[in-house]
Amino acid sequence: TLISNSTQNVEDLQTALRSLKFLRGDNPRAPTPVLVFNEGYLSFDQKSLLVMAAQGRPVAFPLVDFTHYPLGFDHERLDPPFPPVGRHNKWGYYQIIRFWVTTVWSHPALDRFETIMKIEPNVCFKTFNDHLPRFRLSHLAYHAAYGGYEPEGPKFVNKLVLFTEEYMKRE
């Protein structure tokens, strides 16, 4: 997961960590670790609350740096297509998306893992899920809990198929 140091984010993640017991897929002698990616602003107390909420599950706090941008991208001159509300970094939300789509895969914290499961801080498992933490069907490589379209979807994926096809041809 990836969180800020906001009180709400930390409280939400505490609930999410407590709810992982409903997945019931861990080896009791070696519970699956949780990586809490963050920008380095979590306090010792916030980290302690998260470790306690994990109920014996190992927790690590790998750092991410959202001050670096892709080569050639002028983040000072350009403005985001959807200006953020209440964020100190106008590109912060976009950096989060970029992290989950691209840079997470090269983060050294993932080096020892073959499988990862991304959870949002505000997720809460209330019952057993037969797809998680292992996939019910061995040929699956991805599972999403959300099925359908968000009402705002088209404005966020405008030209995505065209961009993807052009990228695939080029690369």
Side-chain angles (χ1 to χ4, degrees):
T1 191
L2 170 67
I3 67 167
S4 71
N5 66 340
S6 79
T7 301
Q8 187 64 55
N9 232 197
V10 172
E11 288 175 0
D12 286 348
L13 185 55
Q14 285 176 270
T15 301
L17 291 173
R18 286 186 199 106
S19 78
L20 289 176
K21 66 184 174 197
F22 289 112
L23 294 182
R24 296 188 291 184
D26 275 319
N27 174 342
R29 291 174 300 215
T32 304
V34 173
L35 302 177
V36 182
F37 291 98
N38 68 95
E39 292 182 82
Y41 302 123
L42 291 173
S43 71
F44 177 82
D45 289 343
Q46 289 174 316
K47 289 179 182 180
S48 296
L49 289 169
L50 295 171
V51 168
M52 286 188 295
Q55 303 169 349
R57 183 182 301 277
V59 181
F61 297 92
L63 299 178
V64 294
D65 183 357
F66 290 150
T67 63
H68 289 92
Y69 296 86
L71 189 62
F73 180 77
D74 189 350
H75 68 281
E76 292 178 358
R77 187 178 61 81
L78 297 170
D79 287 321
F82 306 103
V85 177
R87 292 188 180 266
H88 66 279
N89 176 352
K90 69 180 181 178
W91 289 103
Y93 178 70
Y94 296 89
Q95 288 286 66
I96 291 168
I97 294 169
R98 179 174 169 242
F99 172 74
W100 284 120
V101 171
T102 61
T103 57
V104 69
W105 305 111
S106 60
H107 198 289
L110 296 183
D111 286 351
R112 60 181 276 233
F113 299 102
E114 289 181 10
T115 304
I116 67 167
M117 180 175 107
K118 175 190 180 263
I119 62 171
E120 291 295 327
N122 60 353
V123 72
C124 182
F125 299 100
K126 292 183 174 184
T127 186
F128 177 71
N129 181 317
D130 62 358
H131 290 281
L132 301 171
R134 294 178 191 86
F135 293 123
R136 184 174 57 174
L137 304 173
S138 61
H139 69 280
L140 294 178
Y142 175 80
H143 172 78
Y146 184 78
Y149 295 99
E150 295 183 30
E152 301 159 340
K155 76 178 183 183
F156 292 112
V157 295
N158 187 24
K159 301 180 185 175
L160 180 61
V161 171
L162 178 62
F163 173 84
T164 304
E165 289 171 347
E166 288 174 2
Y167 175 83
M168 289 168 53
K169 286 177 192 172
R170 195 172 58 249
E171 299 298 323

